[in-house]
């Protein structure tokens, strides 16, 4: 694959086209995003996020950046951890997702700072945050290596990156998982969100995302002094943690 090409699901597209194609997916699904998450994961996404928060080490007064924060689940939970002396930024590159997240947080009584920005070019100073999180967003980024370096840049020494993402499933589960991903997901997307194509892309994007060990090495290559991961639900998702030395 040349420098000017990248993948959009199983398709090969120009790099300049990918961001727009991903944006169209999330503009389309934004209003039904939480409902579909509950249906697709049978509610397990809440347990995955809870584990991420509870093992994050977030404490009172911390500054936290929630990248690709979508509808604000992690931002809200982190805000409870850091208290009034802390700071949580909700960011997303997609205006529709960000708008839904901002409104949900305001409705719940959490007027957090919000910014629409590209994870590959974060508008924050060096060494500002104690924790950076990205949940189910890294796989959609065109230049994952550049995004990881930016996340490293904005962390303080000793700061932690949390990447919660779909990953490589345990081999015995793969046949059933493939049937679920490529048959049931698009069907549910059509039924609930009137959008089968976006959920077909979801299934494909998961298969194109780096596996656990590859992503761990990418984090080390981005400058993190330590990186490890914890598989959940048979490797359907993995939580990667990187520490900046």
């Amino acid at each position: 694959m040349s420098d000017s090409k990248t993948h959009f699901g199983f398709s090969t597209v120009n790099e300049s086209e990918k961001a727009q194609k991903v944006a169209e997916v999330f503009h389309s699904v934004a209003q039904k995003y939480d409902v579909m998450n509950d249906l697709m994961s049978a509610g397990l996404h809440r347990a995955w996020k809870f584990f991420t928060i509870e093992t994050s080490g977030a404490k009172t007064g911390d500054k936290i950046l929630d990248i690709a924060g979508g509808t604000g689940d992690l931002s809200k939970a982190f805000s409870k951890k850091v208290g009034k002396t802390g700071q949580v930024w909700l960011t997303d590159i997609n205006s529709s997702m960000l708008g839904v997240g901002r409104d949900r947080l305001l409705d719940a009584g959490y007027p957090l700072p919000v910014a629409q920005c590209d994870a590959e070019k974060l508008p924050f100073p060096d060494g500002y945050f104690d924790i950076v999180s990205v949940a189910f967003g890294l796989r959609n980024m065109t230049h994952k290596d550049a995004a990881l370096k930016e996340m490293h840049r904005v962390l303080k020494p000793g700061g932690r990156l949390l990447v919660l993402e779909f990953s490589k499933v345990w081999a015995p589960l793969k046949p059933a998982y493939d049937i679920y991903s490529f048959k049931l997901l698009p069907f549910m997307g059509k039924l609930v969100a009137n959008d089968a194509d976006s959920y077909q892309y979801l299934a494909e994007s998961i298969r194109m995302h780096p596996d656990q060990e590859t992503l761990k090495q990418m984090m080390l290559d981005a400058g993190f002094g330590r990186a490890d991961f914890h598989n959940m639900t048979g490797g359907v998702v993995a939580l990667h943690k990187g520490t900046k030395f």
Side-chain angles (χ1 to χ4, degrees), residues 8 26 28 35 38 47 53 55 64 70 95 101 113 120 151 155 164 172 187 205 208 212 214 218 223 235:
F8 175 75
F26 286 95
S28 175
V35 173
D38 280 329
I53 297 293
T55 63
I64 299 179
S95 59
E120 297 176 20
M151 296 173 202
L155 278 168
L164 181 64
F187 174 75
S205 69
M208 298 302 292
Q212 289 91 328
T214 302
M218 290 174 68

Side-chain angles (χ1 to χ4, degrees), residues 30-71:
Q31 295 300 323
K32 296 289 186 178
Y33 188 76
D34 283 331
V35 173
M36 282 299 296
N37 276 352
D38 280 329
L39 285 173
M40 289 187 302
S41 70
L44 280 172
H45 76 100
R46 299 179 185 275
W48 299 331
K49 292 170 182 174
F50 178 81
F51 180 82
T52 299
I53 297 293
E54 292 303 305
T55 63
S56 67
K59 62 186 185 302
T60 302
D62 277 352
K63 292 184 175 70
I64 299 179
L65 173 61
D66 185 12
I67 293 175
T71 54

Side-chain angles (χ1 to χ4, degrees), residues 25 29 32-33 36-37 40 181 185-190 193 195-204:
V25 167
V29 304
K32 296 289 186 178
Y33 188 76
M36 282 299 296
N37 276 352
M40 289 187 302
S181 299
L185 277 190
F187 174 75
M188 286 191 290
K190 177 65 176 176
D195 185 353
D197 290 345
S198 291
Y199 290 92
Q200 178 72 26
Y201 162 73
L202 168 64
E204 294 178 4

Side-chain angles (χ1 to χ4, degrees), residues 15-195:
E15 285 189 351
S16 59
E17 296 175 337
K18 180 171 179 175
Q20 181 58 38
K21 287 181 174 293
V22 170
E24 289 169 359
V25 167
F26 286 95
H27 285 312
S28 175
V29 304
Q31 295 300 323
K32 296 289 186 178
Y33 188 76
D34 283 331
V35 173
M36 282 299 296
N37 276 352
D38 280 329
L39 285 173
M40 289 187 302
S41 70
L44 280 172
H45 76 100
R46 299 179 185 275
W48 299 331
K49 292 170 182 174
F50 178 81
F51 180 82
T52 299
I53 297 293
E54 292 303 305
T55 63
S56 67
K59 62 186 185 302
T60 302
D62 277 352
K63 292 184 175 70
I64 299 179
L65 173 61
D66 185 12
I67 293 175
T71 54
D73 287 348
L74 288 186
S75 289
K76 180 181 176 181
F78 275 130
S79 186
K80 294 176 182 179
K81 290 284 188 183
V82 305
K84 293 182 178 180
T85 60
Q87 187 180 85
V88 179
W89 278 84
L90 170 65
T91 69
D92 204 294
I93 196 171
N94 187 275
S95 59
S96 296
M97 292 294 294
L98 193 63
V100 171
R102 176 202 60 209
D103 292 349
R104 284 189 64 203
L105 289 169
L106 288 173
D107 289 345
Y110 292 90
L112 305 182
V114 172
Q116 183 178 358
C117 60
D118 184 344
E120 297 176 20
K121 305 182 187 72
L122 293 172
F124 300 101
D126 296 356
Y128 187 77
F129 292 101
D130 298 285
I131 295 173
V132 172
S133 70
V134 54
F136 306 112
L138 184 64
R139 74 179 186 283
N140 297 311
M141 297 175 190
T142 305
H143 304 104
K144 297 175 181 63
D145 53 348
L148 290 170
K149 288 178 181 176
E150 275 290 270
M151 296 173 202
H152 180 271
R153 178 185 66 78
V154 300
L155 278 168
K156 299 175 181 178
R160 299 171 302 286
L161 170 64
L162 310 172
V163 181
L164 181 64
E165 188 55 90
F166 294 109
S167 200
K168 186 175 182 179
V169 72
W170 185 43
L173 297 178
K174 187 176 184 299
Y177 187 53
D178 284 347
I179 291 171
Y180 170 76
S181 299
F182 293 106
K183 300 295 184 183
L184 289 179
L185 277 190
F187 174 75
M188 286 191 290
K190 177 65 176 176
L191 195 66
V192 176
N194 195 31
D195 185 353

